[in-house]
Amino acid sequence: MHSASNAASAPSELRVISSRRSALEHLREIWAYRELVSGLIRKELKVRYKNSVLGFVWSMVQPVFLLAVYSIVFSILGAGFRDFAIWLLGGLIVWTLVSTTLSTATQSVTSNQYLVSKVPFPRAVLPLSTLGSALVHFVLQFLTFVVILAVSRHRVDLAYVWLLPIALVVTTVLLAALALMLGAVNVYARDTQHLLDLALIGLFWLNPILYEYQRMVLWFTHRGWPSWIPLLNPFSSVIITFQRAIYGSPSSGTKQLLPNDGPLWYLRNLGIVGVFAVALFLLALRWFDRAEGNFAEVI
């Protein structure tokens, strides 16, 4: 009787593991495991700076180092424009968040195979915790960047600064969606992490970081394409918002860097990306929910 009872309960347990949940149910489950998310974020941070003397200081040193390097290099090359290093860092700080999140999230499930195969919990917390870790580094680097701006007495544009929190929220939702999708795909196709390395290189050059946004617009318009084509890359809208607010001007002398439009133009672009990000996140939750039922077996 006892063994029969156990046998009868086994199929029920399997159905719970592979059950389909709505996006709201999935979010509630992730929220219920928020302490696990916090613990995984702390683990990510500790592993990254294990046996390091400076620890988190390395995250704060990087913007200072990049500012010095790019200032010297572009001074020697005679390229760029006024305060080019500030412009560059305004884009690089966003790109570092993007590349770090996607790289770590892709391997988040496979690198925690012991937890996946032994401990019952919503697997979505694994890629989302890597995003949390990347956000911690972003905050540290941004605070360092603020100090750099204050010391160099660089004037930001306060009429656009209020857009930065919105841009960060939009980026976070978009990265959460991509993290879930990449983390799940890599379980079944381990080449994903290697393909991502190549994709990030290409995507970096598709964003106006080492060059001005208007240069890209002119390249498309001269070939008969609409001027909004560069905005099809959702990260471009975020990056140019950071550049517009932090650099403080849409131009440098006679050189046009960004569209000379008001804050509402940038807000509209962020709104479009935000709607896309939310839709993609809901789709990613649904897709991850279908994929995670077989994670333990595949890993």
Side-chain angles (χ1 to χ4, degrees):
M1 292 293 291
H2 182 68
S3 61
S5 176
N6 289 340
S9 64
S12 176
E13 292 175 0
L14 290 175
R15 282 196 296 272
V16 172
I17 292 174
S18 60
S19 64
R20 301 291 178 254
R21 292 157 290 180
S22 67
L24 182 59
E25 290 172 333
H26 213 137
L27 288 173
R28 285 175 177 170
E29 188 175 19
I30 293 172
W31 177 251
Y33 281 81
R34 58 189 179 277
E35 292 185 5
L36 176 59
V37 176
S38 300
L40 289 170
I41 291 174
R42 289 193 296 270
K43 174 197 166 189
E44 289 274 344
L45 297 173
K46 288 179 180 178
V47 169
R48 174 170 297 191
Y49 296 114
K50 184 179 180 180
N51 299 326
S52 171
V53 176
L54 296 180
F56 287 104
V57 176
W58 285 115
S59 293
M60 307 176 78
V61 167
Q62 187 182 27
V64 179
F65 178 75
L66 289 176
L67 181 66
V69 169
Y70 284 116
S71 296
I72 295 172
V73 169
F74 283 93
S75 176
I76 294 174
L77 294 177
F81 39 83
R82 177 181 57 85
D83 294 332
F84 181 74
I86 299 295
W87 161 277
L88 191 61
L89 278 180
L92 279 178
I93 198 171
V94 177
W95 179 252
T96 300
L97 172 62
V98 173
S99 59
T100 301
T101 299
L102 298 185
S103 297
T104 54
T106 301
Q107 303 179 58
S108 60
V109 179
T110 54
S111 62
N112 288 281
Q113 55 183 332
Y114 178 79
L115 286 175
V116 173
S117 59
K118 300 295 183 181
V119 182
F121 67 98
R123 279 44 170 168
V125 304
L126 295 173
L128 293 180
S129 65
T130 63
L131 171 58
S133 174
L135 284 170
V136 172
H137 289 288
F138 173 84
V139 170
L140 292 174
Q141 292 182 345
F142 189 79
L143 291 176
T144 306
F145 195 14
V146 170
V147 173
I148 292 173
L149 295 174
V151 171
S152 62
R153 296 184 179 180
H154 182 85
R155 298 182 64 181
V156 300
D157 195 332
L158 296 178
Y160 292 81
V161 168
W162 62 274
L163 290 169
L164 296 184
I166 300 174
L168 181 58
V169 170
V170 169
T171 307
T172 300
V173 177
L174 181 58
L175 288 177
L178 294 174
L180 289 171
M181 298 178 77
L182 289 171
V185 170
N186 192 57
V187 173
Y188 298 95
R190 300 299 173 89
D191 287 338
T192 303
Q193 59 196 59
H194 304 296
L195 291 172
L196 178 66
D197 292 337
L198 299 177
L200 287 175
I201 294 174
L203 188 58
F204 172 79
W205 289 100
L206 288 177
N207 286 289
I209 298 175
L210 292 178
Y211 55 89
E212 59 273 21
Y213 173 80
Q214 286 301 103
R215 182 187 293 269
M216 183 189 293
V217 171
L218 289 175
W219 189 91
F220 279 105
T221 54
H222 285 168
R223 288 160 177 77
W225 292 82
S227 60
W228 48 261
I229 288 293
L231 294 176
L232 291 178
N233 173 10
F235 294 114
S236 287
S237 295
V238 175
I239 288 173
I240 63 176
T241 300
F242 270 79
Q243 291 170 333
R244 181 64 184 87
I246 294 172
Y247 188 73
S249 173
S251 60
S252 177
T254 59
K255 192 179 187 67
Q256 190 70 25
L257 309 177
L258 294 165
N260 192 17
D261 295 296
L264 293 182
W265 185 84
Y266 292 87
L267 180 62
R268 183 205 66 181
N269 296 336
L270 291 176
I272 294 173
V273 176
V275 171
F276 169 75
V278 170
L280 186 64
F281 180 69
L282 295 176
L283 178 63
L285 276 177
R286 182 179 179 84
W287 192 53
F288 194 94
D289 181 55
R290 292 179 176 273
E292 71 171 323
N294 297 319
F295 280 177
E297 290 79 4
V298 175
I299 289 179

